[in-house]
Amino acid sequence: MTERLVISRLGQRGDGIADTSDGPSFVPYALPGETVTVEPVAGHPDRRHLLAVDTASPERVVPVCKHFGICGGCALQHWALDRQLAWKRDLVIEALRSTGLDAPVAETLDAHGEGRRRATLHARRGAHDILEVGFAAPRAHHVVAIDECPILAPGLNGIINAAWAIAEVIAPARKPLDIQATTTENGLDIDVRGSGPLDMARRTALAAIANKHRLARITRHGELVIQRAPPTLKVGPATVTLPPGVFLQATATAEAVLAELVREGAGRARKIADLFCGVGPFALQLAEKARVTAADSDANAIAALKAAATNTGGLKPLEAAARDLFRRPFVASELKGFDAVVFDPPRQGAEAQARELARSTVPSIVAVSCDRMTFARDARILVDGGYRLKSVTPVDQFRYSPHIEIVGVFAKN
């Protein structure tokens, strides 16, 4: 049974919301002010499937990808970019207000740049053993086969063909195969997960694929299969050789924008702690002017950071150590003597570390986060501990999605 709804606002995941007598109804790909025709979604009484847009919003635009709405990688290609940026700023403001914080929030910085430099494609053999390689469908488990993706950076050109070739060699029958690709200076770095052990015939076939598609490296669950060239990236003054599957910011532009905001937030600090440092996108640039102590739970990332620092001239002393900051955060006594602390945790935030920072006397703190709710929680902890939230800057490196990066600068009262 179909029905007509008027969309009043957008939800936090980018779905249109219509207020009905039965409560809110969520309609993906609908915009505020639109009148739409929808049908129920089986098993989800509060969700609707969009059939037609009867009255379109003036903010509606033509999606940039032919797979939009079928592939689950993007949620907002139908909405004008300037409206997306403003909406994401509003989401950050709402998250802060939910914890009782009212801080100056800058306009959202667009950091899409050339596009995503990392992508994870999935491969699965479906009905009749037909291979599909692409991204997951919206809110579903099946794979949508794709032949192009316009949000990827030029450095990922060729990844789809390479992923198909890899999948044809090792794709299992049921469980999706994950093919993670990262752009590097020497070609694509590929880490394959879900394949199970590889026999010699498959390893030989993968080596041939690496040569044909000019891949820098192929690993399986971090284990080296073939390396044609070291997968390196320039980070500030340093060159970092990437560990397999290591975390990087989604776009190169975002990494540069975030690093600049971090440097500005740290000000004239001469001794800085960089916590959840990864391979050092902040540490290696901060070390141009300050002594840096860096820590992260990923031992391979720490090893890569140490090697990069050792091989880069002109840096101040940079110490790096593997440490689980969720279980062993830097306590207040360890933070004495630091002029500034930078922390950039995973999506779950850094509650334990924030509590120790709140007890400290560090003059300046710069918090970087990819989750607005955990950022707001950790910010509340710092403010309750005597810090003032001086500024908040949203950074959009996740174009067409509801995700947003945030940089907050705190000063001890």
Side-chain angles (χ1 to χ4, degrees):
M1 180 181 70
T2 64
E3 59 182 322
R4 297 187 77 195
L5 298 175
V6 176
I7 305 301
S8 61
R9 62 194 186 280
L10 223 59
Q12 294 191 358
R13 297 177 63 179
D15 295 339
I17 300 178
D19 293 308
T20 73
S21 58
D22 295 325
S25 290
F26 297 86
V27 185
Y29 314 121
L31 294 174
E34 292 187 331
T35 301
V36 296
T37 299
V38 300
E39 64 180 0
V41 176
H44 299 276
D46 62 342
R47 302 197 64 80
R48 300 293 185 271
H49 174 65
L50 179 65
L51 296 177
V53 177
D54 303 314
T55 304
S57 165
E59 298 170 357
R60 180 173 284 275
V61 297
V62 177
V64 299
C65 180
K66 65 184 180 182
H67 301 294
F68 178 66
I70 302 171
C71 166
C74 295
L76 295 166
Q77 285 189 17
H78 59 302
W79 201 16
L81 283 175
D82 60 337
R83 292 299 304 130
Q84 293 184 43
L85 296 175
W87 172 68
K88 290 187 178 187
R89 177 178 181 268
D90 289 342
L91 290 178
V92 173
I93 293 172
E94 290 174 11
L96 291 171
R97 285 178 178 168
S98 72
T99 61
L101 295 176
D102 185 8
V105 179
E107 298 298 318
T108 303
L109 300 179
D110 185 352
H112 179 72
E114 292 187 329
R116 303 285 188 94
R117 63 179 177 179
R118 299 166 53 228
T120 300
L121 284 86
H122 310 293
R124 174 185 284 174
R125 295 194 180 277
H128 309 294
D129 201 36
I130 296 176
L131 180 64
E132 295 175 331
V133 178
F135 297 119
R139 298 179 179 85
H141 298 291
H142 68 272
V143 172
V144 176
I146 63 169
D147 57 4
E148 63 177 25
C149 179
I151 71 167
L152 300 183
L156 282 172
N157 288 344
I159 179 52
I160 295 175
N161 290 336
W164 275 92
I166 291 170
E168 286 172 351
V169 171
I170 58 177
R174 301 184 187 89
K175 183 179 178 182
L177 184 75
D178 292 337
I179 302 169
Q180 179 179 317
T182 301
T183 301
T184 79
E185 293 177 337
N186 296 320
L188 294 178
D189 184 26
I190 307 289
D191 188 46
V192 180
R193 295 179 178 270
S195 69
L198 300 175
D199 57 25
M200 185 54 66
R202 286 186 171 87
R203 287 178 174 271
T204 301
L206 290 175
I209 290 170
N211 289 323
K212 179 180 178 179
H213 294 273
R214 300 182 180 277
L215 307 178
R217 178 176 64 184
I218 299 178
T219 55
R220 184 197 73 88
H221 289 269
E223 175 190 357
L224 183 63
V225 176
I226 175 69
Q227 179 169 300
R228 297 179 60 254
T232 58
L233 278 183
K234 193 73 173 174
V235 178
T239 297
V240 179
T241 300
L242 300 179
V246 74
F247 171 80
L248 292 173
Q249 298 296 342
T251 73
T253 299
E255 182 175 285
V257 168
L258 293 171
E260 180 60 27
L261 290 170
V262 166
R263 284 195 297 266
E264 290 176 359
R268 298 181 179 180
R270 289 293 175 260
K271 186 178 181 182
I272 302 173
D274 182 6
L275 309 181
F276 306 94
C277 64
V279 294
F282 304 144
L284 289 165
Q285 298 186 64
L286 293 169
E288 292 184 271
K289 294 184 178 181
R291 298 173 63 96
V292 176
T293 297
D296 195 283
S297 62
D298 186 338
N300 291 330
I302 290 295
L305 170 56
K306 285 182 175 180
T310 299
N311 295 323
T312 303
L315 297 182
K316 301 289 186 182
L318 193 161
E319 299 178 359
R323 177 164 172 170
D324 186 339
L325 296 170
F326 296 106
R327 297 182 178 181
R328 292 182 56 232
F330 275 59
V331 298
S333 59
E334 292 178 279
L335 295 167
K336 289 180 179 178
F338 286 103
D339 304 312
V341 171
V342 177
F343 68 101
D344 181 13
R347 192 168 298 278
Q348 64 263 44
E351 183 174 2
Q353 186 61 74
R355 294 193 182 283
E356 291 299 329
L357 283 165
R359 298 185 183 102
S360 78
T361 57
V362 176
S364 298
I365 296 174
V366 184
V368 183
S369 174
C370 61
D371 187 282
R372 60 186 182 275
M373 299 309 297
T374 57
F375 172 82
R377 179 202 65 201
D378 294 346
R380 180 76 259 177
I381 293 170
L382 293 174
V383 169
D384 288 345
Y387 282 88
R388 175 170 58 92
L389 181 50
K390 294 171 56 180
S391 66
V392 178
T393 305
V395 178
D396 186 18
Q397 63 172 324
F398 305 107
R399 181 176 287 183
Y400 307 129
S401 87
H403 302 301
I404 187 73
E405 201 83 18
I406 305 166
V407 178
V409 179
F410 300 80
K412 192 73 173 182
N413 289 329

